[in-house]
Amino acid sequence: MNGFASHGLDEDAFGEKSGLQGGLKTFDAFPKTKPSYTAPSRRGGQWTVLILVICTVFTFSEFRTWLRGSENHHFSVEKGVGHDLQLNLDLVVRMPCDTLDVNIQDASGDRILAGDLLQRERTSWKLWMDKRNRETSGGVHEYQTLSQEDTERISAREADAHVHHVLGEVRKNPRRKFAKGPRLRRGDTVDSCRIYGSLEGNKVQGDFHITARGHGYRNFGEHLDHGVFNFSHMVTELSFGPHYPTLLNPLDKTIATTESHYYKYQYFLSVVPTLYSKGASALDTYTNHPDLISTNRNKNLVFTNQYAATTQAADLPENPYFIPGIFFKYNIEPILLMISEERTSFLSLLIRLVNTVSGVMVTGGWVYQISGWVGELVNRKRGRGKSEGVLTGKHYAED
């Protein structure tokens, strides 16, 4: 009827087939070209492989991000009324133990005889320096002077700011004991004192100091010769709050040395209460379950304190108006930093994957068509293009 049969053409090839399959194709929102009218090309195959590779990479990246979760930081005024603050100290001073006074004087006027609460251990400065030289990490000494700040130490401190690392370190050392120091050997000179332990103080601004006996307080009848003074020291740990020895604080594993006898070291510390939470929002945990924070019964919840430190050191004139020693002045900031590691639902992950893969495929199709169209235009301008499906005057003449 329409002339297709006379040319050997099948009219059914240009229409939908009858039956159930043809009826379903009627409702197809994306009609497909018949396979007999498509021709595979090498460029199209390469482009398909590239799209599949990109989709695979994006899918793996989204899945890895979902597994790792995301960290959220919140700041809030600390709720409740604080009373006590635990101080953890492990420090070696290059003076005999019986020549040192260790005390805390806080803003409330209380004076705590920290020397009676902390443990003292007679030791040798050379032993600790040898220990420092033996302990290396990545070719770098773990103990550093105050003026040094290598990349290994910076990266270790940055790792302690992430929830998964903090929780992992806390679970590794549940006993939270202080490490044993090097043993005295026969012939070692006992010229130093190791002061270590934990003590409870008031949660207010305070001053923890180590001075020579008879200096700083009026201890009548006791006055040491200035020639025995040497406040060179090695800080293995200084932290506030629950004792987590594997977490690296700014002053941990630092050394300060001096040849002067009448010398003063001052450290100014700004302490920030910090809450680490995994699997739930730290803000919700802090609001709804404050008992978990005080008792630390939740394995996915760690309450501790961070601090920033600045230091000053000076050689003092030898007169009664100046007091040599090691002074840690700390101030409690009135805020609470809450760091939570959260993970979205699996349905959210599927939605992100569908959006990502769909976007890559649609964008890839557009780029493929546009690049083909641009290539065709370039070839036509160069005179190498061929017209397809257009009858010219030459064809009419041949007919």
Side-chain angles (χ1 to χ4, degrees):
M1 179 183 298
N2 50 17
F4 290 157
S6 60
H7 289 81
L9 300 176
D10 184 9
E11 185 177 2
D12 294 337
F14 294 89
E16 298 293 349
K17 296 182 177 181
S18 60
L20 179 60
Q21 183 179 3
L24 292 177
K25 288 187 176 182
T26 304
F27 298 98
D28 191 356
F30 304 97
K32 312 299 186 298
T33 305
K34 293 182 177 297
S36 57
Y37 301 143
T38 60
S41 64
R42 183 177 181 180
R43 175 172 170 269
Q46 293 174 347
W47 196 263
T48 301
V49 173
L50 177 62
I51 294 297
L52 292 177
V53 171
I54 295 176
C55 288
T56 302
V57 172
F58 283 8
T59 300
F60 178 76
S61 177
E62 288 288 344
F63 188 73
R64 185 178 59 179
T65 303
W66 177 79
L67 281 179
R68 186 170 58 244
S70 60
E71 285 190 354
N72 298 321
H73 294 71
H74 305 276
F75 289 93
S76 173
V77 177
E78 191 173 8
K79 295 180 174 60
V81 180
H83 299 281
D84 299 328
L85 177 66
Q86 180 174 315
L87 172 67
N88 311 297
L89 177 71
D90 190 352
L91 176 143
V92 177
V93 184
R94 197 173 182 178
M95 289 178 63
C97 292
D98 57 356
T99 63
L100 297 175
D101 279 337
V102 184
N103 297 280
I104 294 179
Q105 184 78 36
D106 58 38
S108 65
D110 289 346
R111 175 186 170 187
I112 301 175
L113 300 178
D116 297 334
L117 302 177
L118 298 174
Q119 300 184 50
R120 300 194 188 194
E121 183 180 286
R122 299 167 63 251
T123 185
S124 170
W125 182 259
K126 185 177 182 301
L127 277 179
W128 285 89
M129 293 303 294
D130 293 341
K131 179 177 182 294
R132 176 258 184 190
N133 293 330
R134 290 194 303 267
E135 292 183 357
T136 58
S137 175
V140 180
H141 293 302
E142 291 188 3
Y143 284 82
Q144 307 294 332
T145 62
L146 291 174
S147 60
Q148 292 176 324
E149 192 72 18
D150 58 83
T151 56
E152 292 288 336
R153 186 177 179 87
I154 293 176
S155 61
R157 289 177 56 185
E158 290 179 350
D160 285 340
H162 298 294
V163 175
H164 65 277
H165 184 269
V166 171
L167 294 179
E169 291 296 324
V170 170
R171 291 167 182 169
K172 285 181 183 178
N173 190 7
R175 296 184 178 180
R176 307 174 190 174
K177 293 184 177 180
F178 289 90
K180 293 183 179 180
R183 289 186 177 182
L184 284 172
R185 300 165 299 190
R186 181 177 299 179
D188 287 336
T189 303
V190 180
D191 58 354
S192 301
C193 180
R194 181 193 180 193
I195 305 170
Y196 68 98
S198 300
L199 57 88
E200 294 288 341
N202 297 319
K203 196 174 182 180
V204 294
Q205 180 181 357
D207 182 1
F208 174 83
H209 46 264
I210 302 174
T211 58
R213 194 180 70 240
H215 293 73
Y217 296 99
R218 296 187 179 276
N219 297 326
F220 298 101
E222 299 184 25
H223 189 84
L224 295 177
D225 180 32
H226 296 172
V228 302
F229 291 2
N230 190 330
F231 288 99
S232 299
H233 57 279
M234 176 186 298
V235 181
T236 300
E237 181 182 357
L238 176 62
S239 61
F240 298 88
H243 184 211
Y244 301 120
T246 55
L247 299 182
L248 185 63
N249 297 283
L251 292 181
D252 289 357
K253 297 184 178 181
T254 57
I255 302 174
T257 58
T258 180
E259 297 297 331
S260 176
H261 297 292
Y262 220 76
Y263 207 80
K264 182 178 184 179
Y265 290 97
Q266 273 192 314
Y267 298 94
F268 301 92
L269 313 177
S270 296
V271 182
V272 180
T274 306
L275 178 68
Y276 295 94
S277 173
K278 180 180 180 180
S281 173
L283 184 60
D284 295 339
T285 304
Y286 177 64
T287 303
N288 302 325
H289 304 284
D291 58 319
L292 296 179
I293 297 175
S294 58
T295 59
N296 282 332
R297 291 179 299 178
N298 192 339
K299 295 182 179 180
N300 293 326
L301 189 68
V302 171
F303 180 75
T304 182
N305 294 274
Q306 301 183 77
Y307 65 85
T310 56
T311 180
Q312 289 182 349
D315 193 355
L316 303 178
E318 297 188 24
N319 63 63
Y321 296 100
F322 297 95
I323 303 174
I326 307 170
F327 297 83
F328 299 93
K329 297 181 179 294
Y330 57 89
N331 185 34
I332 313 299
E333 300 296 335
I335 60 174
L336 175 68
L337 172 61
M338 292 168 286
I339 307 176
S340 61
E341 184 180 85
E342 302 175 8
R343 183 188 300 170
T344 59
S345 63
F346 188 73
L347 179 60
S348 300
L349 172 64
L350 293 180
I351 294 175
R352 290 179 62 89
L353 291 178
V354 170
N355 291 337
T356 301
V357 173
S358 301
V360 170
M361 295 182 67
V362 171
T363 304
W366 287 350
V367 173
Y368 177 77
Q369 294 181 4
I370 293 174
S371 61
W373 176 69
V374 171
E376 185 178 352
L377 289 179
V378 171
N379 289 334
R380 286 182 179 179
K381 288 183 178 181
R382 293 178 179 178
R384 294 197 298 267
K386 294 183 179 180
S387 177
E388 298 180 358
V390 180
L391 297 178
T392 62
K394 181 178 179 181
H395 293 86
Y396 285 110
E398 291 177 353
D399 290 341

